[in-house]
Each structure stands twice: as structure tokens, then as C-alpha cells.
Amino acid sequence: MVGITSYGAYIPLYRLSRDEISRAWSRPNAGGEKAVANVDEDSITMAVEAVIDCLTGMDRELIDGLYLATTTAPYKEKLCASIVAVAADLRKEQFFAADFTSSVRAGTMAMKASIDAIKGGSAKKVIVAASDRRVPAPNSEFEPLFGDSAAAFVFGDSDVAVNIEGNYSISSEFMDIWRRDGDKFPRTWEDRFVLEEGYQKLLQQAVSGLMNKYSLTPKDFTKAIFYAPTARSHAAMARSLGFDAKTQVQDPMFATVGNTGTAFVPMMLVAALEEAKPGDKLLLANYGDGADCYILVVTEQIENIRDRRGIKRHLASKSILPNYEKYILFRDLMEWEFERRPPAASSLSWIWRDRAQVYRLHGQKCRRCGWVQFPRQRVCINCQAKDDFEDVSIADKKGNLFTFTHDERAMVPILPEIMCEIDFGDGLRLYCPMTDRDPEKVEIGMSVEMTFRNIHEGADAHNYFWVCRPIRC
């Protein structure tokens, strides 16, 4: 039996009210809000968050591969899944990482690839992560719709919490939404044509094919989880498929998170599993250049993986952006004054040499006195023992703010930059910036946790590192 053995999710802290978007463009109020990634977040960092949430309580050495699904990869010619894997502290040897991209259906494509790999014997446990930070054009129909999030699942053949009982897929060359190389914003065609000839026909065809193949009807399913571009089209599809909107259809979270691309359907699946009971049968249907459909059956094992932040806790933990102008700053949607000071410098060779502490956030523990220190050195600062250390992971640790400073003139988009000294105990202290924070609420002694972020651009590359934030959820 192959299926889902764990799940996790991530929704950024910040939300933008759709009424605020309406105010900016003198439009009628729309209601609701959407999730907005911070300036230091992208599809890689959000995927890392979801994967770590998914791996709660699991032995990371047992993971054989990671598939990353995204249409907003920070790199066009570099494997992004490998960055997610190393930041999640997964093993390097006998490990396979791959990117799935170019379609919002990439998440369920990656699911099928992981299921096939496990059935074929090339892997025992594979993580599938779906993450998107979509940038809509200002004052476009997409601007109130698109949100940011990530979801992740472990697929395996033991301790299965959600069994995969069947699947059905179709492929299509239909031009729905696209983005050419060099385009900053997605493009689309005339609304009615896209909906009637694309979305409605293809998704209905796939769901009908699945039900005919396995002799099922809508009444056989506890929940239906399916893609839709908008709330209106989602409600219309529910009626067309014959599902009861009040009892059988999973909330798509258009009014709280938005359409999050490759993460949209996986995110809804996580929300459904948070409420699922053993024996529930779920329909999972995703759309984009065709459609994928799955029959999922929940097992007793679902009760053993409830301790995730998932969707519920991330939805409850939020901060509202004060205005649309702040959102423009987050998305870098204006041409700004030229920076008068030299940009931050980077060395790719240095990052490579110190990759264990840069990407994995590994410190070291002295084998003689037990002192823990970061960054890594050859000599213990406590007992002066030389070259006698063992690796210690800091990324999962929580600490307390020992001291901090506000820098109002730092070269960062969001001021002030808050630089912190974090005390983890056992002698370990770490100096780093703080993100996802309200400067008025930062105080000595507060509890913080580490998060993987894109801290700056240097050497014509994205520079990722770990920073602290107030504990979420």
C-alpha cells in the first residue's frame, strides 16, 4: 500500500486586505484577504517551511528524495529542490531531488512521480513539496486572487495515513494562463473561452473518467478537493460534478489565502486531512494543461500525525499589511532610487566551503566540555580543545532574545533592520537579523525560532541563510 504518511504546510505571516487593493485602484470593495510572502521569502523558503512542518517527529535519514513543484522558481537554470533538501537537513548520499514546473498542476504531477518511484522500488519515502509566490500585475484581475503558500507530503509504503486507491489523468495543450521566459506577470486569454473550453471541460472530463474507471459516484466521497481559478468557478464546478457544496466540498480559502498556484490544491488537501477521520474517501482533482484525479482513503494512522502547524495554525497566525504601498514594496513593483552605497558582497566559493552552516545551520559541540558554538571554529572557545567537535543542528532549536538593536539606515527594503543576539543555552549564541516582526513588540527575553530566508542578492545569485523570528502558531 502506497500513500501519504505525513503532511505539512506553510502560509506567510502577512495578509493584504482586498478592500485595500480596491482602495488603491478606486474599485468597489471586494472583501476578504490574501496571503503575502515577506520580502525575504520565495518559493524555496516557503517550501523549506512546509517540508520541516511535514517532517515533524520523523527520522530525516529515511527520506530518499524530494520533488519540488513550483511555477515561480527563483532560478531558471539551477535545481531548486536541492536547496530545499539541504536546508531541510536531508541526507546527500543516495538521494534524488527534482523540480517539477511550468504548470500549476505540477504538484499532482510530482505526486504521481513519487508514487511510481515507490511502487517501482527505487525509493521508500519521497517528499513532495508544492510552493508558489506568484506576482500578479498591479490593477489586474489576478491581483486580488493570487496568494502565496506551500504544502508538503511524505509518500511511502508503510505507516500510510492516506491510501492512494486510484488515479486518472488527461493532458492538454490548451492555452489557459502562461508566462514566457522574461515575462514578470502571467498572461491569459478571454475569460469565457478559458473557462468554458478549458477549465470546465477538462476537469469534468477527468473526474468523469475517474468515476467511470472505478465505478464511483459523487455520493461515494466524503470530501471533494478540486482546483478552480476563482470562487465563482469553484462553486459552479461543484454543482456540475454533483457534490453538495455545504457538506462535501472542501473550502478553497479564496477569501483567506487566495489562489496559490501549484500549492493551491495541495494546500486544500492538507486542510481536509486536518479534519479527516479514518474511513473518509476523498476526491483530489487538479487542473492545468490537463487534469489529475486521485481517490484517497484515510486510515487510522491519520491520528498519529495531527501535531503539525498545517493550515489551521498558520491561518490563525497573521499580521495585516497596513496599506497597499507596503505590498508594492514587498513585491518590488516600482523603480526605486539608485542605492548610494555599495551593494552587499557575496562569495559563492565561501558559501560552498561553509555550506553546512549556511544552508543546514549546523554548529559544533565540543566533545570534551560539551560547549556549543557557532560559527564553526577549529578551537573550542571554552576549553581550547582543538579539532574535537561533533555537528549540532541549530535550525530546529528555539532560543531567547539576549539583546538587539534597531538599524534605521541599513540597506534593506523594510526598516528598521533588527539585529539580534540569540541565546540557545549550553554556551550557544547566534547573531542574525529578525524577520516577520513588529518593531514595537520586540523585547529582550522573548522566544524566537529560526527560519530559512533569502537575505540579499549578491554575486548575481540569491543568498539564503537562517534568520530568527518571533515564534509562530
Side-chain angles (χ1 to χ4, degrees):
M1 182 169 65
V2 175
I4 297 170
T5 66
S6 184
Y7 61 79
Y10 176 72
I11 301 172
L13 176 69
Y14 293 104
R15 311 285 195 273
L16 177 64
S17 165
R18 290 196 173 90
D19 288 345
E20 179 60 20
I21 300 175
S22 299
R23 178 204 63 80
W25 302 113
S26 301
R27 289 184 170 186
N29 286 347
E33 61 195 31
K34 69 173 191 172
V36 177
N38 204 337
V39 291
D40 55 2
E41 294 185 288
D42 57 27
S43 55
I44 285 179
T45 66
M46 291 191 296
V48 171
E49 294 272 4
V51 167
I52 290 174
D53 188 38
C54 183
L55 290 171
T56 300
M58 297 185 66
D59 183 354
R60 300 183 186 187
E61 288 296 312
L62 299 179
I63 304 300
D64 300 311
L66 185 146
Y67 300 162
L68 174 64
T70 181
T71 64
T72 54
Y75 287 108
K76 298 296 183 184
E77 192 171 332
K78 187 199 180 320
L79 196 63
C80 295
S82 63
I83 301 176
V84 177
V86 70
D89 211 9
L90 302 177
R91 71 174 194 256
K92 182 173 67 173
E93 302 294 335
Q94 291 296 304
F95 188 89
F96 186 77
D99 289 347
F100 288 71
T101 188
S102 300
S103 172
V104 293
R105 188 163 58 98
T108 46
M109 293 176 183
M111 288 181 182
K112 188 176 189 307
S114 68
I115 294 166
D116 290 345
I118 294 166
K119 287 183 176 179
S122 63
K124 297 286 286 182
K125 291 185 183 296
V126 177
I127 295 180
V128 172
S131 177
D132 256 338
R133 181 184 180 272
R134 305 170 88 189
V135 181
N139 199 22
S140 67
E141 63 179 293
F142 293 139
E143 189 172 48
L145 290 173
F146 286 0
D148 307 322
S149 77
F153 305 90
V154 175
F155 286 83
D157 58 2
S158 61
D159 299 324
V160 172
V162 185
N163 187 31
I164 312 296
E165 290 210 339
N167 69 282
Y168 189 92
S169 295
I170 59 175
S171 182
S172 171
E173 81 293 348
F174 188 82
M175 293 290 285
D176 186 336
I177 294 177
W178 69 92
R179 187 159 44 88
R180 302 170 303 177
D181 193 23
D183 284 345
K184 186 169 186 177
F185 309 121
R187 302 170 181 267
T188 189
W189 196 240
E190 191 271 325
D191 285 356
R192 195 172 74 172
F193 173 75
V194 167
L195 284 174
E196 293 181 359
E197 297 299 323
Y199 169 69
Q200 292 175 5
K201 285 187 177 180
L202 292 171
L203 193 64
Q204 287 184 47
Q205 180 184 340
V207 173
S208 296
L210 179 81
M211 292 193 180
N212 291 335
K213 180 179 178 180
Y214 294 97
S215 301
L216 296 170
T217 69
K219 293 181 180 179
D220 294 315
F221 292 95
T222 310
K223 282 284 184 183
I225 305 150
F226 55 88
Y227 180 90
T230 64
R232 177 178 290 184
S233 58
H234 189 268
M237 181 59 68
R239 292 192 296 270
S240 299
L241 296 177
F243 290 103
D244 187 317
K246 293 183 179 180
T247 61
Q248 286 185 289
V249 177
Q250 179 63 37
D251 176 14
M253 295 177 279
F254 279 111
T256 52
V257 181
N259 186 324
T260 57
T262 57
F264 187 45
V265 167
M267 181 184 68
M268 282 191 278
L269 176 56
V270 172
L273 294 180
E274 289 177 333
E275 301 288 342
K277 300 178 179 61
D280 284 356
K281 182 172 287 189
L282 312 177
L283 169 70
L284 183 72
N286 201 7
Y287 168 79
D289 304 287
D292 296 325
C293 295
Y294 291 88
I295 302 169
L296 311 177
V297 178
V298 180
T299 75
E300 298 286 344
Q301 184 66 22
I302 195 73
E303 303 297 341
N304 297 326
I305 54 172
R306 300 289 193 192
D307 56 338
R308 295 346 187 216
R309 289 185 172 181
I311 298 297
K312 280 186 177 181
R313 294 180 182 177
H314 279 114
L315 280 178
S317 172
K318 65 180 182 179
S319 178
I320 305 297
L321 291 179
N323 50 54
Y324 181 79
E325 290 78 6
K326 182 70 76 172
Y327 167 77
I328 290 292
L329 182 62
F330 271 37
R331 283 292 188 266
D332 194 22
L333 291 174
M334 289 181 63
E335 186 172 350
W336 310 98
E337 178 187 12
F338 183 75
E339 179 58 57
R340 302 178 188 182
R341 289 171 289 179
S346 297
S347 168
L348 298 183
S349 53
W350 176 85
I351 292 172
W352 168 251
R353 284 194 300 269
D354 289 338
R355 59 194 180 277
Q357 63 185 25
V358 172
Y359 290 128
R360 297 183 186 269
L361 199 64
H362 279 195
Q364 58 188 20
K365 182 177 181 179
C366 179
R367 290 192 177 95
R368 297 191 187 179
C369 71
W371 195 267
V372 182
Q373 61 190 50
F374 184 95
R376 295 145 67 96
Q377 306 289 337
R378 294 191 63 188
V379 177
C380 174
I381 61 173
N382 184 56
C383 72
Q384 285 72 58
K386 186 176 181 181
D387 297 331
D388 193 11
F389 300 98
E390 61 184 40
D391 273 13
V392 172
S393 175
I394 304 172
D396 293 335
K397 293 181 179 292
K398 293 177 173 59
N400 296 311
L401 185 56
F402 179 76
T403 190
F404 67 96
T405 182
H406 286 191
D407 187 346
E408 297 286 356
R409 293 176 174 80
M411 294 171 56
V412 295
I414 306 298
L415 293 171
E417 183 176 38
I418 302 179
M419 297 303 299
C420 305
E421 187 80 13
I422 310 302
D423 188 355
F424 292 96
D426 295 326
L428 174 62
R429 286 186 181 172
L430 188 148
Y431 180 68
C432 66
M434 180 182 287
T435 190
D436 290 358
R437 79 291 182 274
D438 180 346
E440 300 298 324
K441 295 181 180 179
V442 177
E443 58 184 12
I444 290 175
M446 69 185 295
S447 297
V448 296
E449 61 187 1
M450 306 306 295
T451 181
F452 190 69
R453 296 296 172 96
N454 182 358
I455 57 171
H456 69 85
E457 304 297 312
D460 293 324
H462 303 296
N463 285 242
Y464 295 97
F465 191 60
W466 293 83
V467 301
C468 69
R469 69 175 174 206
I471 293 177
R472 282 192 69 183
C473 309

